[in-house]
């Protein structure tokens, strides 16, 4: 949302992609000429913008001057009077690093005013949408408390306020704590607005934390100071020999052309560049969300400045929170770009799966090779080091896994499942990833009575903790399709599901072209299809029945109310507002069962949202139903 100054507007921001803008109601209120015009004609005509308009209440001026000549009820009433689309209560913007006592006192007033604004809106039947601003300075617990209290109100948007000083001073690590502690306590169905975030190099990070909206006057303020915004930082015109991008302004003019212009004309052109860069970055981010590689983009963007990289690493501490919003299945491969990638949801999720999987007696760890590993594993496995009680190896009671960066260990029976085969990492391993793997190995091998580790793996990790054990002729990985499909089902749905789904007389059909498994039948009935792109199963009717029979309520389930039941049985999509409850382990793109309150199986399909979103949203599809019963 570009900030529009009510008296100094020089650029039509709609031309550059703006669909919503923000302006300052308090500045209008204090200027008698503007005030009367806004009352007579409305805010949209005043600033010449026919889309949604948000207005600030004067909190920005309050943060600078310490006082404003208006109270909370007056500013809400005025915003409604000038036909603002989204108004804001008069919160107290508490600067970073103040005393806790001041932060608590300011927060108390902010909450009182937010409640007052909501009450005023409801009692007067006002149509204007309402912001309730999250404050609390740099105290994470106060931010969480404020967000928790505000979420109980009937607000329409939740701005996160008083963060501009953090961004101006490059305190991005603290920004991560402030934003995540706020957003983690806000509902999923209401937009979150990061106030004053106007530099495109922070957009991706902010979106990854859960922010939906940004506002800033940076595009024009930087331009008036001859500064260009880019995703790599800020450039001063005086230091440029080449223009910084390929936008219309940068293609048409040279730095010398701009230097020769009048200041007003030059500032307008640089502002246009700044807007183009900002909206281009938002388009890149939206596409990254669709493709499933937002965190990869964040890691790339955060490498432009050490303090941003610091923030990216701080975000890794919230990996468990981020995992909830990360689909298990994506369109793009996983790219390891550095140690920060070790905290991504895909890695966290896989390691948890490994810890909780059913394990055999022995473990054999092989070096990585060409993917998929199970297809190219060598018959000559070389020498091994042994850990644990040395005993005769029982291949039927042995797990075969490949050492991998960043997923540590990949069982050969599930190595084609996304993203275990659909990933790339540098051949030259960094110290952080090797230490990460070594730490996980030292923990994981304790689950087994005997672990054989390839000598090549030991050399790669540069450790010597084990006694040598020469390979015997019996060490050989034997590919078994039946064991493979059961292992994948366990990995996808939960331990024991493979045996429950694939029982009876099995028939496994493969693609004649690729040799990959395509369909699995049991006693002549289709149980599941395997997607070629990610090796996950798509259930058929009998597969859904068997999964429902195996898993305890409410696992893998979405529970709908009576109104939705007949539509689900007909195979129609399930909308969020009809969902009573669901399994907390559901992520977007998961295969799920649709049941009623009595756990009767109504249908099955693909979840479009995670469990938190399903439960919070009151509009839109939650499950794309495949078939009903």
């Amino acid at each position: 949302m570009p900030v529009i100054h009510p008296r100094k507007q020089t650029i039509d921001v709609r031309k550059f992609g703006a669909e919503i803008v923000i302006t300052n109601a308090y500045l209008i209120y204090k200027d008698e000429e503007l005030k009367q015009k806004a009352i007579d004609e409305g805010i949209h005509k005043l600033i010449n913008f026919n889309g949604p308009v948000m207005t600030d209440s004067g909190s920005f001026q309050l943060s600078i001057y310490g006082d404003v000549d208006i109270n909370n009820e007056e500013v809400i009433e005025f915003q409604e009077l000038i036909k603002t689309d989204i108004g804001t209560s008069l919160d107290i913007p508490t600067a970073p690093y103040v005393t806790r006592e001041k932060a608590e006192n300011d927060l108390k007033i902010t909450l009182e005013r937010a409640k007052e604004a909501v009450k005023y809106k409801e009692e007067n039947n006002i149509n204007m949408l309402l912001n309730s601003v999250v404050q609390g300075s740099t105290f994470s617990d106060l931010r969480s408390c404020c967000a928790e209290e505000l979420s109980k109100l009937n607000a329409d948007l939740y701005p996160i306020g008083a963060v501009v000083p953090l961004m101006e001073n490059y305190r991005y690590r603290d920004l991560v704590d402030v934003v995540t502690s706020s957003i983690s306590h806000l509902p999923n169905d209401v937009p979150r607005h990061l106030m004053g975030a106007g530099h495109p190099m922070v957009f991706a990070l902010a979106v990854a934390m859960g922010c939906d909206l940004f506002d800033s006057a940076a595009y024009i303020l930087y331009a008036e100071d001859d500064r260009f915004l880019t995703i790599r930082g800020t450039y001063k015109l005086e230091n440029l020999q080449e223009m910084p991008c390929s936008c219309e302004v940068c293609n048409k003019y040279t730095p010398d052309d701009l230097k020769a212009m009048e200041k007003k004309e030059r500032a307008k052109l640089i502002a246009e560049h700044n807007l183009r860069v900002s909206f281009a970055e938002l388009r890149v981010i939206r596409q990254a969300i669709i493709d499933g590689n937002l965190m990869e983009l964040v890691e790339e963007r955060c490498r432009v400045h050490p303090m941003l990289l610091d923030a990216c690493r701080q975000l890794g501490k919230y990996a468990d929170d981020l995992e909830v919003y990360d689909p298990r299945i994506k369109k793009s491969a996983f790219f390891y770009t550095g140690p920060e990638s070790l905290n991504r949801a895909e890695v966290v999720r896989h390691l948890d799966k490994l810890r909780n999987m059913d394990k055999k007696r022995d473990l054999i760890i092989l070096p990585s090779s060409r993917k998929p590993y199970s297809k190219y594993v060598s018959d000559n496995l070389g020498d091994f080091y042994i850990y644990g009680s040395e005993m005769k190896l029982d291949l039927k009671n042995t797990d075969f896994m490949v050492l991998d960066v960043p997923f540590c260990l990949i069982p050969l029976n599930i190595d084609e499942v996304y993203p275990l085969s659909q990933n790339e990492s540098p051949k030259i391993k960094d110290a952080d990833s090797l230490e990460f793997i070594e730490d996980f190995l030292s923990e994981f091998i304790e689950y087994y009575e005997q672990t054989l580790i390839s000598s090549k793996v030991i050399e790669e990790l540069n450790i010597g903790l084990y006694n040598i054990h020469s390979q015997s002729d019996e060490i050989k990985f034997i590919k078994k399709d039946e064991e493979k499909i059961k292992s994948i089902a366990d990995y996808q749905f939960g331990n024991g599901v493979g045996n429950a789904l694939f029982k009876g007389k099995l028939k496994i059909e493969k693609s004649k072209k690729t040799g990959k498994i395509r369909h699995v039948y049991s006693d002549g009935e289709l149980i599941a299809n395997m997607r070629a792109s990610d090796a996950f199963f798509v259930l058929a009717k009998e597969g859904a029945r068997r999964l429902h029979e195996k898993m305890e309520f409410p696992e893998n389930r979405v529970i709908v109310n009576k109104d939705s039941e007949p539509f689900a049985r007909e195979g129609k999509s399930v909308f969020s507002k009809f969902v009573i409850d669901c399994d907390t382990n559901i992520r977007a793109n998961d295969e799920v069962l649709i049941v009623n309150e009595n756990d009767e199986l109504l249908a099955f399909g693909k979840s479009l949202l995670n469990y938190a979103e399903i439960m919070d949203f009151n509009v839109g599809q939650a499950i794309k139903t495949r078939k009903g019963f």
Side-chain angles (χ1 to χ4, degrees):
M1 297 182 287
V3 173
I4 302 295
H5 194 289
R7 190 175 280 283
K8 300 179 182 178
Q9 183 182 9
T10 58
I11 297 176
D12 183 359
V13 296
R14 288 170 298 188
K15 294 180 179 179
F16 306 98
E19 297 173 292
I20 177 173
V21 298
I22 183 170
T23 190
N24 194 301
Y26 182 68
L27 292 182
I28 299 170
Y29 180 84
K30 291 293 291 179
D31 187 309
E32 288 300 326
E33 181 185 345
L34 290 177
K35 180 179 179 180
Q36 193 58 51
K37 188 174 181 181
I39 293 172
D40 293 341
E41 301 178 353
I43 186 69
H44 298 80
K45 192 165 184 180
L46 176 70
I47 64 172
N48 190 31
F49 188 83
N50 59 11
V53 176
M54 181 187 290
T55 48
D56 191 9
S57 58
S59 298
F60 178 73
Q61 283 69 30
L62 185 62
S63 67
I64 296 176
Y65 306 116
D67 194 21
V68 290
D69 187 21
I70 196 170
N71 65 39
N72 189 44
E73 186 172 321
E74 287 172 338
V75 78
I76 295 296
E77 186 179 31
F78 178 67
Q79 289 173 94
E80 205 275 332
L81 183 63
I82 62 176
K83 298 181 176 59
T84 291
D85 296 295
I86 308 168
T88 309
S89 56
L90 189 62
D91 59 294
I92 306 295
T94 311
Y97 315 116
V98 298
T99 65
R100 185 175 182 89
E101 182 181 7
K102 175 169 175 54
E104 288 176 342
N105 291 335
D106 287 354
L107 179 55
K108 183 178 179 182
I109 298 172
T110 290
L111 288 173
E112 287 173 354
R113 291 180 177 180
K115 293 173 183 176
E116 182 183 51
V118 169
K119 183 179 178 181
Y120 179 83
K121 176 187 173 182
E122 291 174 347
E123 289 180 348
N124 293 276
N125 198 27
I126 292 174
N127 291 324
M128 177 180 69
L129 300 181
L130 194 61
N131 281 318
S132 288
V133 185
V134 180
Q135 295 289 354
S137 185
T138 36
F139 298 97
S140 293
D141 61 324
L142 294 185
R143 288 279 180 173
S144 297
C145 175
C146 182
E148 189 76 35
E149 289 300 310
L150 291 178
S151 66
K152 299 174 184 177
L153 305 177
N154 190 26
D156 303 291
L157 293 96
Y158 293 107
I160 300 168
V163 294
V164 171
L166 293 174
M167 291 183 279
E168 288 179 339
N169 291 288
Y170 294 88
R171 301 301 296 263
Y172 296 120
R173 184 177 65 182
D174 293 336
L175 179 70
V176 168
D177 290 332
V178 165
V179 174
T180 51
S181 60
S182 302
I183 284 179
S184 61
H185 289 75
L186 293 173
N188 289 283
D189 62 331
V190 181
R192 287 77 68 106
H193 165 204
L194 189 59
M195 301 186 80
H199 204 299
M201 72 178 185
V202 305
F203 287 171
L205 175 67
V207 171
M209 292 188 288
C211 299
D212 304 295
L213 295 167
F214 315 100
D215 80 277
S216 179
Y219 72 98
I220 187 66
L221 296 178
Y222 278 50
E224 290 172 350
D225 193 33
D226 287 344
R227 290 189 290 171
F228 291 77
L229 297 176
T230 78
I231 57 172
R232 292 185 52 80
T234 308
Y235 294 93
K236 286 280 290 183
L237 176 61
E238 64 188 49
N239 298 325
L240 288 179
Q241 193 161 342
E242 299 289 342
M243 296 297 275
C245 79
S246 298
C247 75
E248 187 175 320
V249 173
C250 291
N251 274 331
K252 188 174 182 180
Y253 301 98
T254 68
D256 288 339
D257 292 336
L258 293 177
K259 291 173 186 176
M261 292 179 183
E262 293 290 329
K263 181 174 178 59
K264 187 175 181 181
E265 182 185 3
R266 179 171 67 241
K268 184 174 182 293
L269 288 172
I270 298 176
E272 289 181 5
H273 157 88
N274 291 342
L275 283 170
R276 291 182 190 277
V277 167
S278 298
F279 284 111
E281 178 66 357
L282 291 179
R283 290 192 292 272
V284 169
I285 292 169
R286 286 196 289 267
Q287 187 61 45
I289 293 171
I290 292 168
D291 292 338
N293 56 16
L294 174 62
M295 289 309 301
E296 184 183 316
L297 178 66
V298 171
E299 291 171 14
E300 177 186 333
R301 294 294 190 253
C302 284
R303 278 178 163 75
V304 304
H305 195 283
M307 296 301 102
L308 271 176
L309 187 57
D310 211 24
C312 183
R313 291 172 178 172
Q314 186 71 4
L315 188 61
K317 296 182 178 181
Y318 300 91
D320 289 337
D321 295 328
L322 296 178
E323 186 275 329
V324 173
Y325 297 90
D326 188 81
R328 290 185 173 93
I329 305 164
K330 302 175 182 178
K331 296 179 180 179
S332 59
F334 180 105
F335 282 4
Y336 177 86
T337 64
E340 296 74 32
S341 300
L342 298 171
N343 290 314
R344 276 200 232 160
E346 294 92 335
V347 178
V348 172
R349 184 182 295 134
H350 175 66
L351 297 190
D352 284 342
K353 289 271 191 182
L354 285 181
R355 292 184 181 101
N356 295 316
M357 66 182 280
D358 288 335
K359 299 171 180 66
K360 296 180 179 177
R361 191 193 74 179
D362 297 335
L363 170 65
I364 291 179
I365 300 177
L366 307 173
S368 60
S369 58
R370 183 179 173 187
K371 297 185 184 80
Y373 299 129
S374 58
K375 185 177 180 179
Y376 297 102
V377 64
S378 173
D379 286 338
N380 180 17
L381 299 178
D383 291 331
F384 287 83
Y385 291 87
I386 188 169
Y387 179 86
S389 304
E390 187 173 352
M391 58 187 73
K392 184 174 176 59
L393 194 64
D394 178 5
L395 291 183
K396 292 182 179 179
N397 201 16
T398 299
D399 287 324
F400 281 80
M401 300 190 188
V402 171
L403 182 86
D404 176 84
V405 172
F407 298 102
C408 294
L409 292 173
I410 296 180
L412 288 182
N413 278 329
I414 62 167
D415 70 322
E416 293 183 39
V417 170
Y418 184 90
L420 306 182
S421 189
Q422 303 83 353
N423 71 84
E424 292 293 342
S425 61
K427 301 303 180 187
I428 300 175
K429 307 295 188 289
D430 57 86
D432 293 88
S433 65
L434 292 177
E435 183 180 351
F436 182 75
I437 290 173
E438 187 176 341
D439 288 344
F440 181 78
L441 271 184
S442 64
E443 166 206 336
F444 189 72
I445 60 180
E446 295 295 336
Y447 292 111
Y448 293 87
E449 292 188 35
Q450 179 179 228
T451 299
L452 276 68
I453 306 180
S454 166
S455 58
K456 294 179 181 178
V457 170
I458 295 295
E459 291 169 9
E460 189 170 330
L461 290 179
N462 194 29
I463 57 176
L465 304 177
Y466 311 95
N467 298 316
I468 191 70
H469 172 82
S470 298
Q471 177 196 351
S472 66
D473 294 336
E474 62 181 347
I475 300 181
K476 183 178 181 181
F477 175 67
I478 302 172
K479 303 168 189 175
K480 296 180 180 178
D481 289 338
E482 184 173 325
E483 188 172 333
K484 176 177 180 176
I485 61 174
K486 289 180 179 180
S487 297
I488 290 175
D490 284 355
Y491 189 83
Q492 182 175 351
F493 297 109
N495 292 338
V497 172
N499 283 329
L501 284 181
F502 306 120
K503 57 188 178 181
K505 185 178 179 180
L506 296 179
K507 179 185 176 184
I508 299 174
E509 289 188 356
K510 297 183 178 181
S511 166
K512 294 180 180 179
K513 184 176 181 180
T514 65
K516 290 185 176 182
I517 296 171
R518 297 298 302 275
H519 314 290
V520 183
Y521 296 84
S522 173
D523 298 326
E525 190 161 10
L526 180 64
I527 302 300
N529 303 305
M530 182 180 283
R531 264 196 309 262
S533 59
D534 52 47
F536 276 101
F537 283 117
V538 177
L539 295 174
K541 266 194 169 186
E542 180 58 23
R545 283 195 190 96
R546 293 184 181 189
L547 180 64
H548 179 259
E549 183 180 300
K550 167 63 182 176
M551 303 304 285
E552 295 290 332
F553 182 90
E555 292 177 328
N556 295 101
R557 291 161 169 81
V558 174
I559 301 101
V560 298
N561 64 18
K562 291 181 180 179
D563 293 336
S564 181
E565 184 172 332
F567 298 100
R569 288 189 184 278
E570 292 172 11
K572 294 182 179 178
S573 294
V574 173
F575 286 76
S576 294
K577 65 180 179 179
F578 298 115
V579 176
I580 300 171
D581 201 359
C582 66
D583 181 3
T584 58
N585 195 41
I586 289 174
R587 304 290 181 265
N589 297 334
D590 280 2
E591 293 287 306
V592 296
L593 305 173
I594 302 163
V595 301
N596 61 19
E597 292 179 84
N598 298 320
D599 197 29
E600 292 179 73
L601 183 58
L602 309 174
F604 62 98
K606 182 179 81 169
S607 178
L608 303 177
L609 308 169
N610 69 40
Y611 81 92
E613 294 163 334
I614 292 172
M615 297 310 298
D616 281 352
F617 287 10
N618 289 312
V619 296
Q621 284 182 314
I623 311 298
K624 185 177 181 180
T625 305
R626 297 195 191 281
K627 288 184 179 178
F629 291 89

